[in-house]
Amino acid sequence: MPDVGHNGPPIASDQLRSIIERVETLEDEKAVAAEYINEVYAEAKSNGFDTKSLRKLVSLRKKDRTKLLEDKAMLELYAAALGCLDLV
Amino acid sequence: MPDVGHNGPPIASDQLRSIIERVETLEDEKAVAAEYINEVYAEAKSNGFDTKSLRKLVSLRKKDRTKLLEDKAMLELYAAALGCLDLV
Amino acid sequence: MPDVGHNGPPIASDQLRSIIERVETLEDEKAVAAEYINEVYAEAKSNGFDTKSLRKLVSLRKKDRTKLLEDKAMLELYAAALGCLDLV
Amino acid sequence: MPDVGHNGPPIASDQLRSIIERVETLEDEKAVAAEYINEVYAEAKSNGFDTKSLRKLVSLRKKDRTKLLEDKAMLELYAAALGCLDLV
DNA sequence: AACGCATAAGTAAGAC
DNA sequence: GTCTTACTTATGCGTT
């Protein structure tokens, strides 16, 4: 438990500083990766690709294949019942 | 321009108050609608419907049919080129 | 439980249609309110107000006062321990 | 421009595959960093820290100091005009 | 018309 | 198991 809430200098500041710094370092790494991802998409776009479709494809490939098919089947069932199967 | 940044009582406060109140009233209405929507889904769920599919269907029906089909075609094209057409 | 997954015409379609239509009506109401909100902000902006601050203020007023003050105190404590109290 | 939309095998598939794979590799790196971040917060929490305040502090430190102070001043001005300065 | 921002939606994790 | 809460992604909007 950090020694907070009392009068005088709050103390767990070394521990606090360590936490913040570790997070910030990791967030930097995350931001760098995110930036590279954007660059890849930007390059793809300049080569005529549709980035929205690319992003969608990446997200689909990340998901569990079985569950994806189940969800798709359920959606088609509902769409059929509503007479708008063409939407899915 | 609101009369701000000077010493003494900031003045556009009547105007400011009006803005805030109008927004808050409208946000209440929005929140009420959102709550009713959740209730409809909750009832649907208790009747055995899959709410995820219901939500997806609603969002599909909201979109422009033509654009939807174009996007779908593009995605399938990419998926086919990658040999994972079954995902879409 | 909707009568789905069998051969022949899926049947709970009346119930399904009712659900979808009720949701869509409510979403319309929600969208109308959201549009009015945007109009209020747009008008405020044209009168020289900073909409970001207005939005922030609205969101603050929506929250529980007590919890807000507690959170603020905790944040200030941490910021003080890090020597960046000026940020909060 | 990818050679798509014609009959026969769509061709830019090598290029497409390269894009997807590069993105997926980078997303992995991003996810790893995100996971480490969560671990740091989990450890902090087990040591008695309030993670919400920690996250808030990290996000504040990420922002431009000058702009932060400007925004804060504007918000306080509005809050004062509304008589709810205690919220900010 | 493309860019970034800001809101909203969907998703996944965690608490009760 | 449900329900909230936070994070991620997606979309729309305003700006340049």
Side-chain angles (χ1 to χ4, degrees), chain A residues 8-88:
Chain A
I11 59 166
S13 45
D14 285 350
Q15 201 181 353
L16 175 59
R17 187 171 303 276
S18 161
I19 291 164
I20 299 290
E21 284 173 1
R22 277 190 288 159
V23 169
E24 285 178 343
T25 301
L26 290 164
E27 293 224 334
D28 278 345
E29 293 174 19
K30 191 156 83 98
V32 167
E35 196 182 334
Y36 285 148
I37 290 170
N38 282 334
E39 285 174 15
V40 173
Y41 281 125
E43 182 195 331
K45 182 176 186 176
S46 77
N47 287 332
F49 287 96
D50 174 62
T51 57
K52 187 178 172 184
S53 298
L54 293 175
R55 287 178 190 271
K56 183 72 181 170
L57 197 47
V58 168
S59 88
L60 284 173
R61 283 161 57 95
K62 205 163 19 181
K63 291 179 183 157
D64 177 71
R65 198 180 214 83
T66 304
K67 182 150 197 326
L68 213 50
L69 296 178
E70 285 172 5
D71 289 350
K72 193 187 168 200
M74 182 69 78
L75 182 58
E76 284 174 357
L77 185 65
Y78 288 0
L82 270 189
C84 54
L85 233 189
D86 59 317
L87 288 184
V88 303

Coordinates of all heavy atoms in Angstrom, one line a residue, chain A residues 8-88:
Chain A
G8 N 2.5 15.7 5.4 CA 3.9 15.6 5.1 C 4.1 15.0 3.7 O 3.1 14.7 3.0
P9 N 5.3 14.8 3.3 CA 5.6 14.4 1.9 C 5.0 13.0 1.7 O 5.3 12.1 2.5 CB 7.1 14.4 1.8 CG 7.6 14.5 3.2 CD 6.5 15.1 4.0
P10 N 4.2 12.8 0.7 CA 3.7 11.5 0.3 C 4.9 10.6 0.0 O 5.8 11.1 -0.7 CB 2.8 11.7 -0.9 CG 2.7 13.1 -1.1 CD 3.8 13.8 -0.3
I11 N 5.0 9.4 0.4 CA 6.3 8.7 0.2 C 6.4 7.8 -1.0 O 7.5 7.7 -1.6 CB 6.7 8.0 1.5 CG1 5.7 7.0 1.9 CG2 7.1 9.0 2.5 CD1 6.2 6.1 2.9
A12 N 5.5 7.0 -1.4 CA 5.9 6.0 -2.4 C 6.3 6.5 -3.7 O 6.1 5.9 -4.7 CB 4.7 5.0 -2.5
S13 N 6.9 7.7 -3.7 CA 7.1 8.4 -5.0 C 8.2 7.6 -5.8 O 8.1 7.7 -7.1 CB 7.5 9.8 -4.8 OG 8.4 10.0 -3.7
D14 N 9.1 7.0 -5.2 CA 10.1 6.2 -6.0 C 9.3 5.1 -6.8 O 9.6 4.9 -8.0 CB 11.1 5.6 -5.2 CG 12.1 6.6 -4.7 OD1 12.1 7.8 -5.2 OD2 13.0 6.3 -3.8
Q15 N 8.5 4.4 -6.1 CA 7.7 3.3 -6.7 C 6.8 3.9 -7.8 O 6.7 3.3 -8.9 CB 6.9 2.6 -5.6 CG 6.5 1.2 -5.9 CD 5.6 0.6 -4.8 OE1 5.5 1.2 -3.7 NE2 5.1 -0.6 -5.0
L16 N 6.2 5.0 -7.4 CA 5.3 5.6 -8.4 C 6.0 6.0 -9.6 O 5.6 5.8 -10.8 CB 4.6 6.9 -7.7 CG 3.8 7.7 -8.6 CD1 2.6 6.9 -9.2 CD2 3.2 8.9 -7.8
R17 N 7.2 6.6 -9.4 CA 8.0 7.1 -10.6 C 8.4 5.9 -11.5 O 8.3 6.0 -12.7 CB 9.2 7.8 -10.1 CG 10.1 8.4 -11.2 CD 11.1 9.3 -10.6 NE 10.6 10.4 -9.7 CZ 10.1 11.5 -10.1 NH1 10.2 11.8 -11.4 NH2 9.6 12.4 -9.3
S18 N 8.7 4.8 -10.8 CA 9.1 3.6 -11.6 C 7.9 3.1 -12.4 O 8.1 2.7 -13.6 CB 9.6 2.5 -10.6 OG 9.5 1.2 -11.2
I19 N 6.8 3.1 -11.8 CA 5.6 2.6 -12.6 C 5.3 3.5 -13.8 O 5.2 3.0 -14.9 CB 4.3 2.6 -11.7 CG1 4.4 1.6 -10.6 CG2 3.1 2.4 -12.5 CD1 3.5 1.8 -9.4
I20 N 5.3 4.8 -13.6 CA 5.0 5.7 -14.6 C 6.1 5.6 -15.8 O 5.7 5.5 -17.0 CB 5.0 7.2 -14.1 CG1 3.9 7.3 -13.0 CG2 4.8 8.1 -15.2 CD1 2.5 7.3 -13.6
E21 N 7.3 5.5 -15.4 CA 8.3 5.4 -16.4 C 8.3 4.1 -17.2 O 8.5 4.1 -18.4 CB 9.7 5.5 -15.8 CG 10.0 7.0 -15.4 CD 11.3 7.2 -14.6 OE1 12.0 6.1 -14.4 OE2 11.6 8.3 -14.2
R22 N 8.0 3.0 -16.5 CA 7.9 1.7 -17.3 C 6.7 1.8 -18.2 O 6.8 1.4 -19.4 CB 7.7 0.6 -16.3 CG 9.0 0.1 -15.7 CD 8.8 -1.2 -14.9 NE 8.1 -1.0 -13.7 CZ 7.4 -1.9 -13.0 NH1 7.4 -3.2 -13.5 NH2 6.8 -1.7 -11.9
V23 N 5.6 2.4 -17.8 CA 4.4 2.5 -18.7 C 4.8 3.4 -19.9 O 4.5 3.0 -21.0 CB 3.2 3.0 -17.9 CG1 2.1 3.4 -18.9 CG2 2.7 2.0 -16.9
E24 N 5.4 4.5 -19.6 CA 5.7 5.4 -20.7 C 6.7 4.8 -21.7 O 6.5 5.0 -22.9 CB 6.3 6.7 -20.1 CG 5.2 7.5 -19.5 CD 5.7 8.8 -18.8 OE1 6.9 8.9 -18.6 OE2 4.8 9.7 -18.6
T25 N 7.6 4.0 -21.3 CA 8.5 3.3 -22.2 C 7.7 2.4 -23.1 O 7.9 2.4 -24.3 CB 9.6 2.6 -21.4 OG1 10.3 3.5 -20.6 CG2 10.5 1.9 -22.4
L26 N 6.8 1.6 -22.5 CA 6.0 0.6 -23.2 C 5.1 1.3 -24.1 O 4.8 0.9 -25.3 CB 5.3 -0.3 -22.2 CG 6.2 -1.2 -21.5 CD1 5.5 -1.8 -20.3 CD2 6.7 -2.4 -22.4
E27 N 4.5 2.4 -23.7 CA 3.6 3.2 -24.6 C 4.4 3.7 -25.8 O 3.8 3.8 -26.9 CB 2.9 4.3 -23.8 CG 2.0 3.8 -22.7 CD 0.7 4.6 -22.7 OE1 0.6 5.7 -23.1 OE2 -0.3 3.9 -22.3
D28 N 5.6 4.1 -25.6 CA 6.4 4.6 -26.7 C 6.5 3.4 -27.7 O 6.3 3.7 -28.9 CB 7.8 5.0 -26.3 CG 7.8 6.4 -25.7 OD1 6.9 7.1 -25.9 OD2 8.8 6.7 -25.0
E29 N 6.8 2.3 -27.3 CA 7.0 1.1 -28.2 C 5.7 0.8 -28.9 O 5.7 0.6 -30.1 CB 7.4 -0.1 -27.4 CG 8.8 -0.1 -26.8 CD 9.0 -1.3 -25.9 OE1 8.4 -2.3 -26.0 OE2 10.0 -1.2 -25.1
K30 N 4.6 0.9 -28.2 CA 3.3 0.7 -28.8 C 3.0 1.8 -29.8 O 2.5 1.5 -30.9 CB 2.2 0.8 -27.7 CG 0.8 0.3 -28.1 CD 0.0 -0.2 -26.9 CE -0.7 0.9 -26.2 NZ -2.1 1.1 -26.6
A31 N 3.3 3.0 -29.5 CA 3.1 4.1 -30.4 C 3.9 4.0 -31.7 O 3.5 4.3 -32.8 CB 3.4 5.5 -29.8
V32 N 5.2 3.5 -31.5 CA 6.0 3.3 -32.7 C 5.4 2.2 -33.6 O 5.4 2.4 -34.8 CB 7.5 2.9 -32.2 CG1 8.3 2.4 -33.4 CG2 8.2 4.0 -31.6
A33 N 5.0 1.1 -33.0 CA 4.4 0.1 -33.8 C 3.1 0.6 -34.5 O 2.9 0.4 -35.8 CB 4.0 -1.1 -33.0
A34 N 2.3 1.4 -33.8 CA 1.1 2.0 -34.4 C 1.5 2.9 -35.6 O 0.8 2.9 -36.6 CB 0.3 2.7 -33.4
E35 N 2.5 3.6 -35.4 CA 3.0 4.5 -36.5 C 3.4 3.8 -37.7 O 3.1 4.1 -38.9 CB 4.1 5.4 -36.0 CG 4.4 6.6 -36.8 CD 5.6 7.4 -36.2 OE1 5.9 7.3 -35.0 OE2 6.3 8.1 -37.0
Y36 N 4.2 2.7 -37.5 CA 4.6 1.9 -38.6 C 3.4 1.3 -39.3 O 3.3 1.2 -40.6 CB 5.5 0.7 -38.1 CG 6.9 1.2 -37.8 CD1 7.7 0.6 -36.8 CD2 7.5 2.3 -38.5 CE1 9.0 1.0 -36.5 CE2 8.8 2.7 -38.2 CZ 9.5 2.1 -37.2 OH 10.8 2.5 -36.9
I37 N 2.4 0.8 -38.6 CA 1.2 0.3 -39.2 C 0.5 1.3 -40.1 O 0.2 1.0 -41.2 CB 0.2 -0.2 -38.1 CG1 0.8 -1.4 -37.4 CG2 -1.2 -0.5 -38.7 CD1 0.0 -1.8 -36.1
N38 N 0.4 2.5 -39.6 CA -0.1 3.6 -40.4 C 0.7 3.8 -41.7 O 0.1 4.1 -42.7 CB -0.3 4.9 -39.6 CG -1.4 4.9 -38.6 OD1 -2.4 4.2 -38.9 ND2 -1.3 5.6 -37.6
E39 N 2.0 3.7 -41.5 CA 2.8 3.9 -42.7 C 2.6 2.8 -43.8 O 2.5 3.1 -45.0 CB 4.3 3.9 -42.3 CG 4.7 5.2 -41.7 CD 6.1 5.2 -41.2 OE1 6.9 4.3 -41.5 OE2 6.5 6.1 -40.3
V40 N 2.4 1.6 -43.3 CA 2.2 0.5 -44.2 C 0.8 0.8 -45.0 O 0.8 0.6 -46.2 CB 2.1 -0.9 -43.5 CG1 1.6 -2.0 -44.4 CG2 3.5 -1.2 -42.9
Y41 N -0.2 1.2 -44.2 CA -1.5 1.5 -44.8 C -1.4 2.6 -45.8 O -2.0 2.6 -46.9 CB -2.5 1.7 -43.8 CG -3.1 0.5 -43.1 CD1 -3.1 0.3 -41.8 CD2 -3.6 -0.6 -43.9 CE1 -3.6 -0.8 -41.2 CE2 -4.1 -1.7 -43.3 CZ -4.1 -1.8 -42.0 OH -4.6 -3.0 -41.4
A42 N -0.6 3.6 -45.4 CA -0.4 4.8 -46.3 C 0.2 4.4 -47.6 O -0.2 4.9 -48.7 CB 0.4 5.9 -45.6
E43 N 1.2 3.6 -47.5 CA 1.9 3.1 -48.7 C 1.0 2.3 -49.6 O 0.9 2.4 -50.8 CB 3.1 2.3 -48.3 CG 4.0 1.8 -49.5 CD 4.9 0.7 -49.0 OE1 5.3 0.7 -47.8 OE2 5.2 -0.2 -49.8
A44 N 0.2 1.4 -48.9 CA -0.7 0.6 -49.6 C -1.7 1.5 -50.3 O -2.1 1.2 -51.5 CB -1.4 -0.3 -48.6
K45 N -2.2 2.5 -49.7 CA -3.2 3.4 -50.3 C -2.6 4.1 -51.5 O -3.3 4.2 -52.5 CB -3.6 4.4 -49.3 CG -4.6 5.4 -49.8 CD -5.1 6.4 -48.7 CE -6.2 7.2 -49.2 NZ -6.7 8.1 -48.2
S46 N -1.3 4.5 -51.4 CA -0.7 5.1 -52.6 C -0.5 4.2 -53.7 O -0.3 4.5 -54.9 CB 0.6 5.8 -52.1 OG 1.6 4.8 -52.0
N47 N -0.6 2.9 -53.4 CA -0.5 1.9 -54.4 C -1.8 1.4 -54.9 O -2.0 0.4 -55.6 CB 0.3 0.6 -53.9 CG 1.8 0.9 -53.9 OD1 2.3 1.8 -54.6 ND2 2.5 0.3 -52.9
G48 N -2.9 2.1 -54.5 CA -4.2 1.9 -55.0 C -5.1 0.9 -54.2 O -6.2 0.6 -54.6
F49 N -4.6 0.5 -53.1 CA -5.4 -0.4 -52.3 C -6.4 0.4 -51.4 O -6.2 1.5 -51.1 CB -4.5 -1.2 -51.3 CG -3.7 -2.3 -52.0 CD1 -2.4 -2.1 -52.4 CD2 -4.3 -3.6 -52.3 CE1 -1.7 -3.1 -53.1 CE2 -3.6 -4.6 -52.9 CZ -2.3 -4.3 -53.3
D50 N -7.5 -0.3 -51.1 CA -8.5 0.3 -50.3 C -8.2 0.0 -48.9 O -8.3 -1.2 -48.4 CB -9.9 -0.2 -50.7 CG -11.0 0.2 -49.8 OD1 -11.2 1.5 -49.7 OD2 -11.6 -0.6 -49.1
T51 N -7.8 0.9 -48.1 CA -7.3 0.6 -46.7 C -8.4 0.1 -45.8 O -8.2 -0.7 -44.9 CB -6.7 1.9 -46.1 OG1 -7.6 2.9 -46.1 CG2 -5.4 2.3 -46.8
K52 N -9.6 0.6 -46.0 CA -10.7 0.1 -45.2 C -10.9 -1.4 -45.3 O -11.0 -2.1 -44.3 CB -12.0 0.8 -45.6 CG -13.2 0.4 -44.7 CD -14.4 1.2 -45.1 CE -15.6 0.7 -44.3 NZ -16.9 1.3 -44.8
S53 N -10.8 -1.9 -46.6 CA -10.9 -3.4 -46.8 C -9.7 -4.1 -46.2 O -9.8 -5.2 -45.6 CB -11.0 -3.7 -48.3 OG -12.2 -3.1 -48.8
L54 N -8.5 -3.5 -46.3 CA -7.3 -4.1 -45.8 C -7.5 -4.2 -44.2 O -7.2 -5.3 -43.7 CB -6.1 -3.2 -46.1 CG -5.7 -3.1 -47.5 CD1 -4.5 -2.2 -47.7 CD2 -5.3 -4.5 -48.1
R55 N -7.9 -3.2 -43.6 CA -8.1 -3.2 -42.2 C -9.1 -4.3 -41.8 O -8.9 -5.0 -40.8 CB -8.5 -1.8 -41.6 CG -7.4 -0.8 -41.6 CD -7.9 0.6 -41.1 NE -6.9 1.6 -41.4 CZ -5.9 1.9 -40.5 NH1 -5.9 1.3 -39.3 NH2 -5.0 2.9 -40.8
K56 N -10.2 -4.3 -42.5 CA -11.2 -5.3 -42.2 C -10.6 -6.7 -42.3 O -10.9 -7.6 -41.5 CB -12.4 -5.1 -43.2 CG -13.5 -6.0 -43.0 CD -14.3 -5.6 -41.7 CE -15.5 -6.5 -41.5 NZ -16.1 -6.3 -40.2
L57 N -9.9 -6.9 -43.4 CA -9.3 -8.2 -43.6 C -8.4 -8.6 -42.5 O -8.4 -9.8 -42.0 CB -8.5 -8.2 -44.9 CG -8.2 -9.5 -45.6 CD1 -9.4 -10.5 -45.6 CD2 -7.7 -9.3 -47.0
V58 N -7.5 -7.7 -42.0 CA -6.6 -8.0 -40.9 C -7.4 -8.3 -39.7 O -7.1 -9.3 -39.0 CB -5.7 -6.8 -40.6 CG1 -5.0 -6.9 -39.3 CG2 -4.7 -6.6 -41.8
S59 N -8.5 -7.6 -39.4 CA -9.3 -7.9 -38.2 C -10.0 -9.2 -38.3 O -10.1 -10.0 -37.3 CB -10.3 -6.8 -37.9 OG -11.5 -7.0 -38.6
L60 N -10.4 -9.6 -39.5 CA -11.1 -10.9 -39.7 C -10.1 -12.0 -39.4 O -10.4 -13.0 -38.8 CB -11.6 -11.0 -41.1 CG -12.9 -10.3 -41.4 CD1 -13.3 -10.3 -42.9 CD2 -14.1 -10.8 -40.5
R61 N -8.9 -11.9 -39.9 CA -7.9 -12.9 -39.8 C -7.5 -13.1 -38.3 O -6.9 -14.2 -38.0 CB -6.7 -12.6 -40.7 CG -6.9 -12.9 -42.1 CD -5.9 -12.2 -43.0 NE -4.5 -12.5 -42.7 CZ -3.8 -13.5 -43.3 NH1 -4.3 -14.2 -44.2 NH2 -2.6 -13.7 -42.9
K62 N -7.7 -12.1 -37.5 CA -7.3 -12.1 -36.1 C -8.3 -13.0 -35.3 O -8.0 -13.4 -34.2 CB -7.2 -10.7 -35.6 CG -6.3 -10.5 -34.4 CD -5.9 -9.0 -34.2 CE -6.8 -8.0 -34.7 NZ -6.3 -6.6 -34.4
K63 N -9.5 -13.1 -35.9 CA -10.5 -13.7 -35.1 C -10.6 -15.3 -35.2 O -10.1 -15.8 -36.2 CB -11.9 -13.1 -35.4 CG -12.0 -11.7 -35.0 CD -13.3 -11.1 -35.4 CE -13.4 -9.6 -35.0 NZ -14.3 -8.8 -35.8
D64 N -11.3 -15.9 -34.3 CA -11.4 -17.3 -34.3 C -12.3 -17.7 -35.5 O -13.4 -17.3 -35.6 CB -12.0 -17.8 -33.0 CG -12.3 -19.3 -33.0 OD1 -11.3 -20.1 -33.0 OD2 -13.4 -19.7 -33.1
R65 N -11.8 -18.6 -36.4 CA -12.5 -19.0 -37.6 C -13.9 -19.6 -37.3 O -14.8 -19.3 -37.9 CB -11.6 -20.0 -38.3 CG -11.9 -20.2 -39.8 CD -11.0 -21.3 -40.4 NE -10.7 -20.9 -41.8 CZ -9.8 -20.1 -42.2 NH1 -9.1 -19.4 -41.3 NH2 -9.6 -19.9 -43.5
T66 N -13.9 -20.5 -36.3 CA -15.2 -21.2 -36.0 C -16.2 -20.2 -35.6 O -17.4 -20.2 -36.1 CB -15.0 -22.2 -34.9 OG1 -13.9 -23.1 -35.3 CG2 -16.2 -23.0 -34.7
K67 N -15.9 -19.4 -34.7 CA -16.8 -18.4 -34.1 C -17.3 -17.4 -35.3 O -18.5 -17.1 -35.3 CB -16.2 -17.6 -33.0 CG -17.2 -16.6 -32.4 CD -16.9 -16.4 -30.9 CE -18.2 -15.7 -30.3 NZ -18.9 -14.8 -31.2
L68 N -16.4 -17.1 -36.1 CA -16.7 -16.2 -37.2 C -17.8 -16.8 -38.1 O -18.7 -16.2 -38.5 CB -15.4 -16.0 -38.1 CG -15.1 -14.7 -38.8 CD1 -15.3 -13.5 -37.8 CD2 -13.7 -14.7 -39.3
L69 N -17.6 -18.1 -38.4 CA -18.6 -18.8 -39.3 C -20.0 -18.9 -38.6 O -21.0 -18.7 -39.2 CB -18.1 -20.1 -39.7 CG -16.8 -20.0 -40.6 CD1 -16.3 -21.4 -40.9 CD2 -17.1 -19.3 -41.8
E70 N -19.9 -19.2 -37.3 CA -21.2 -19.2 -36.5 C -21.9 -17.9 -36.5 O -23.1 -17.8 -36.8 CB -20.9 -19.6 -35.0 CG -20.5 -21.0 -34.8 CD -20.0 -21.3 -33.4 OE1 -20.1 -20.3 -32.6 OE2 -19.6 -22.4 -33.1
D71 N -21.2 -16.8 -36.3 CA -21.8 -15.5 -36.3 C -22.3 -15.2 -37.6 O -23.4 -14.6 -37.7 CB -20.7 -14.5 -35.9 CG -20.3 -14.6 -34.4 OD1 -21.0 -15.3 -33.7 OD2 -19.4 -13.9 -34.0
K72 N -21.6 -15.5 -38.7 CA -22.0 -15.2 -40.0 C -23.3 -16.0 -40.3 O -24.3 -15.4 -40.9 CB -20.9 -15.7 -41.0 CG -21.1 -15.2 -42.4 CD -20.1 -15.9 -43.3 CE -20.3 -15.7 -44.8 NZ -19.7 -16.7 -45.6
A73 N -23.4 -17.2 -39.9 CA -24.6 -18.0 -40.1 C -25.8 -17.4 -39.4 O -26.9 -17.3 -40.0 CB -24.4 -19.5 -39.6
M74 N -25.6 -17.0 -38.1 CA -26.7 -16.4 -37.4 C -27.2 -15.1 -38.1 O -28.4 -14.9 -38.2 CB -26.2 -16.1 -36.0 CG -27.3 -15.6 -35.1 SD -28.5 -16.8 -34.6 CE -27.7 -17.7 -33.4
L75 N -26.3 -14.3 -38.5 CA -26.6 -13.1 -39.1 C -27.4 -13.3 -40.4 O -28.4 -12.7 -40.7 CB -25.4 -12.3 -39.4 CG -25.6 -10.9 -40.1 CD1 -26.4 -10.0 -39.2 CD2 -24.2 -10.2 -40.3
E76 N -27.0 -14.3 -41.2 CA -27.7 -14.6 -42.4 C -29.1 -15.1 -42.1 O -30.0 -14.8 -42.9 CB -26.9 -15.6 -43.2 CG -25.7 -15.0 -43.9 CD -24.8 -16.0 -44.6 OE1 -25.1 -17.2 -44.5 OE2 -23.8 -15.6 -45.2
L77 N -29.2 -15.9 -41.1 CA -30.5 -16.4 -40.7 C -31.5 -15.2 -40.4 O -32.6 -15.2 -40.9 CB -30.4 -17.3 -39.4 CG -31.6 -18.0 -38.9 CD1 -32.0 -19.0 -40.0 CD2 -31.3 -18.7 -37.6
Y78 N -31.0 -14.3 -39.6 CA -31.9 -13.1 -39.3 C -32.2 -12.3 -40.5 O -33.3 -11.9 -40.7 CB -31.2 -12.3 -38.2 CG -31.1 -12.9 -36.8 CD1 -31.7 -14.1 -36.6 CD2 -30.5 -12.2 -35.8 CE1 -31.6 -14.7 -35.3 CE2 -30.5 -12.7 -34.5 CZ -31.0 -14.0 -34.3 OH -31.0 -14.5 -33.0
A79 N -31.1 -12.1 -41.3 CA -31.3 -11.3 -42.5 C -32.3 -12.0 -43.4 O -33.2 -11.3 -44.0 CB -30.0 -11.1 -43.2
A80 N -32.3 -13.3 -43.5 CA -33.2 -14.0 -44.4 C -34.6 -13.8 -43.9 O -35.6 -13.6 -44.6 CB -32.8 -15.5 -44.4
A81 N -34.8 -13.9 -42.6 CA -36.1 -13.8 -42.0 C -36.7 -12.4 -42.2 O -37.9 -12.2 -42.2 CB -36.0 -14.0 -40.5
L82 N -35.8 -11.4 -42.4 CA -36.2 -10.0 -42.6 C -36.3 -9.7 -44.1 O -36.8 -8.6 -44.5 CB -35.3 -9.1 -42.0 CG -35.6 -8.6 -40.5 CD1 -34.7 -7.5 -40.1 CD2 -37.0 -8.2 -40.4
G83 N -35.9 -10.7 -44.9 CA -35.9 -10.4 -46.3 C -34.9 -9.5 -46.8 O -35.0 -8.8 -47.8
C84 N -33.8 -9.4 -46.1 CA -32.7 -8.5 -46.6 C -31.4 -9.2 -46.6 O -30.4 -8.7 -46.1 CB -32.6 -7.2 -45.8 SG -32.5 -7.4 -44.0
L85 N -31.4 -10.4 -47.1 CA -30.2 -11.3 -47.1 C -29.1 -10.7 -47.9 O -27.9 -10.9 -47.7 CB -30.6 -12.7 -47.7 CG -30.2 -13.9 -46.9 CD1 -30.4 -15.1 -47.7 CD2 -28.8 -13.8 -46.4
D86 N -29.5 -9.8 -48.9 CA -28.5 -9.2 -49.7 C -27.5 -8.3 -49.0 O -26.4 -7.9 -49.5 CB -29.1 -8.5 -50.9 CG -30.0 -7.4 -50.3 OD1 -30.8 -7.6 -49.4 OD2 -30.0 -6.3 -50.9
L87 N -27.9 -7.9 -47.8 CA -27.1 -6.9 -47.0 C -25.9 -7.6 -46.4 O -24.9 -6.9 -46.2 CB -27.9 -6.3 -45.9 CG -29.0 -5.3 -46.4 CD1 -29.6 -4.7 -45.1 CD2 -28.4 -4.2 -47.2
V88 N -26.0 -8.9 -46.2 CA -24.9 -9.5 -45.4 C -23.9 -10.2 -46.3 O -24.0 -10.2 -47.5 CB -25.4 -10.6 -44.4 CG1 -26.4 -9.9 -43.5 CG2 -26.1 -11.7 -45.2

